[in-house]
Amino acid sequence: MNSMPTVVVAYIREDERYAPVTLAAIEAARSAGAQLILYDADSASRMSEPLPGTWSADNGERPFGDRLTPEEIESAGRHELAEQVRAARTSGIDTFGWLASTRGASDFLDYADAQGAGLLVVPDDMQDEGLLARLRGAPAPGEIEGKADRAVLTVPVGEPV
């Protein structure tokens, strides 16, 4: 990658041992002068979507965009993520959040692609087999082309308590 990213997307979890991922993403966005999106993998649920859909909007349109403000995150009941976004904004970084519908790597990559992410910040313990190689651009089985133009920062996380 030859230029600084304009968008950084970080795969975060609510567990405190993942705080280094958020901190590394904030520093990377600050260094690059990039926007930051905190992708909350823990918002995924088997029982419901983390955000209201078009069925709940008065005018039939999607009530939220694809980057959430702290107020929108709060309205979805995710106070901790809203506070993280606010803290990053207070430090001068143009920061948003996103509430994942699934924890899968494929959805994370699709979201990052849709946002034009030039840098992905991920924990070093991601469980999906081959995920880190795929994030770095190696094609998954059945894929024709990888995504080699994107940088990946892998951050060590703490041990489970």
Side-chain angles (χ1 to χ4, degrees):
M1 184 166 186
N2 296 332
S3 63
M4 298 293 265
T6 58
V7 177
V8 174
V9 178
Y11 186 97
I12 65 168
R13 308 280 307 264
E14 290 177 3
D15 187 328
E16 192 171 297
R17 47 192 197 99
Y18 291 88
V21 177
T22 302
L23 295 174
I26 288 170
E27 187 52 41
R30 182 186 330 282
S31 296
Q35 287 187 327
L36 173 61
I37 303 170
L38 300 176
Y39 182 96
D40 183 2
D42 283 342
S43 61
S45 168
R46 294 177 192 220
M47 304 305 272
S48 65
E49 289 291 319
L51 291 170
T54 55
W55 58 268
S56 61
D58 291 337
N59 59 5
E61 294 182 13
R62 244 178 82 186
F64 297 101
D66 57 0
R67 294 180 183 186
L68 303 174
T69 66
E71 296 76 24
E72 291 169 327
I73 298 166
E74 286 281 2
S75 72
R78 307 300 289 201
H79 178 73
E80 289 180 30
L81 177 61
E83 285 300 308
Q84 290 177 2
V85 171
R86 281 188 191 100
R89 284 181 170 202
T90 299
S91 72
I93 300 166
D94 190 15
T95 307
F96 299 89
W98 186 247
L99 302 176
S101 295
T102 68
R103 289 190 183 163
S106 182
D107 288 333
F108 173 67
L109 290 172
D110 289 346
Y111 179 79
D113 285 344
Q115 299 309 304
L119 173 64
L120 304 178
V121 182
V122 299
D124 67 350
D125 71 345
M126 292 190 86
Q127 298 299 314
D128 295 44
E129 188 172 306
L131 173 63
L132 290 177
R134 189 163 171 227
L135 289 173
R136 290 189 170 101
E143 274 188 358
I144 295 173
E145 294 179 18
K147 302 183 185 307
D149 62 343
R150 175 180 36 231
V152 178
L153 174 60
T154 305
V155 179
V157 296
E159 294 297 317
V161 186

